[in-house]
Amino acid sequence: MKKKKDDKPSPVIAQNRKARHDYFIEEKFEAGLTLTGWEVKSLRAGRAQLKEGYVVIENGEAWLVGTHISPLPQASTHVDTNPVRKRKLLLHRKELNNLVGAVERKGYTLVPLELYWKHGRAKLAIGLARGKQAHDKRQTIRDREIDREISRTLKSR
């Protein structure tokens, strides 16, 4: 049986694990990124951090703010590099309108979840999220510990 191009897993460049701890992820979107040449080379080397990043919608466009892409010393010698610059996100107009409505009217937050390659292009998974409070975070940790304990007891039998 011949494998399709979509069957292979997409290599993940960076993940924002803190986002799942701090937010309830309601819906996920996939967006393209506008990048410069040195940024693409740095992403291929895996030099990106999404931890402090967030998504802002300004003038009907989505922007990725606060993510850090470290420049490679050999790839960015002649270019003025800014590792934390605003990067434009490429989304369909319907998706953007949906996100604008959710963020402005319903009080949701847009959080970058994962940066990965898809068909040779860098893609960003964005989560439409609602913030967790302290008791929600504790409950999530409790549930995770219970699941681990159950799997351990089932494994030992």
Side-chain angles (χ1 to χ4, degrees):
M1 189 168 154
K2 197 173 185 181
K3 270 189 152 183
K4 291 183 182 176
K5 214 175 193 183
D6 295 341
D7 290 347
K8 65 181 177 180
S10 58
V12 175
I13 301 166
Q15 287 184 330
N16 189 356
R17 295 175 191 215
K18 189 102 170 120
R20 298 197 189 282
H21 182 266
D22 292 339
Y23 299 97
F24 291 112
I25 308 299
E26 304 278 326
E27 198 173 345
K28 285 172 86 175
F29 294 91
E30 180 181 79
L33 290 152
T34 54
L35 301 170
T36 59
W38 70 267
E39 290 173 328
V40 175
K41 288 183 177 185
S42 295
L43 289 181
R44 293 218 183 271
R47 298 174 61 121
Q49 288 182 344
L50 294 175
K51 195 183 295 183
E52 288 117 22
Y54 57 96
V55 177
V56 176
I57 298 178
E58 294 176 354
N59 301 329
E61 295 178 336
W63 297 88
L64 179 64
V65 181
T67 57
H68 192 278
I69 298 178
S70 302
L72 292 172
Q74 66 270 20
S76 56
T77 57
H78 62 286
V79 182
D80 183 30
T81 59
N82 182 3
V84 289
R85 74 174 181 92
K86 281 174 47 172
R87 293 167 181 93
K88 187 174 179 180
L89 297 177
L90 306 173
L91 290 159
H92 291 286
R93 178 58 49 196
K94 281 185 179 180
E95 291 175 330
L96 266 172
N97 292 339
N98 185 10
L99 292 175
V100 167
V103 169
E104 290 180 358
R105 286 189 278 284
K106 298 177 187 170
Y108 284 99
T109 305
L110 293 174
V111 182
L113 300 174
E114 195 174 54
L115 191 59
Y116 56 93
W117 295 108
K118 184 174 180 183
H119 304 298
R121 300 186 191 279
K123 300 290 182 178
L124 180 73
I126 301 170
L128 188 61
R130 198 168 31 91
K132 283 186 183 179
Q133 294 179 350
H135 60 82
D136 293 329
K137 293 177 188 179
R138 287 193 295 271
Q139 184 62 40
T140 304
I141 292 170
R142 251 185 247 121
D143 293 342
R144 189 180 330 130
E145 292 296 324
I146 290 170
D147 289 343
R148 280 187 191 150
E149 197 63 38
I150 290 170
S151 66
R152 280 187 199 134
T153 56
L154 291 176
K155 198 179 222 183
S156 65
R157 289 184 180 183

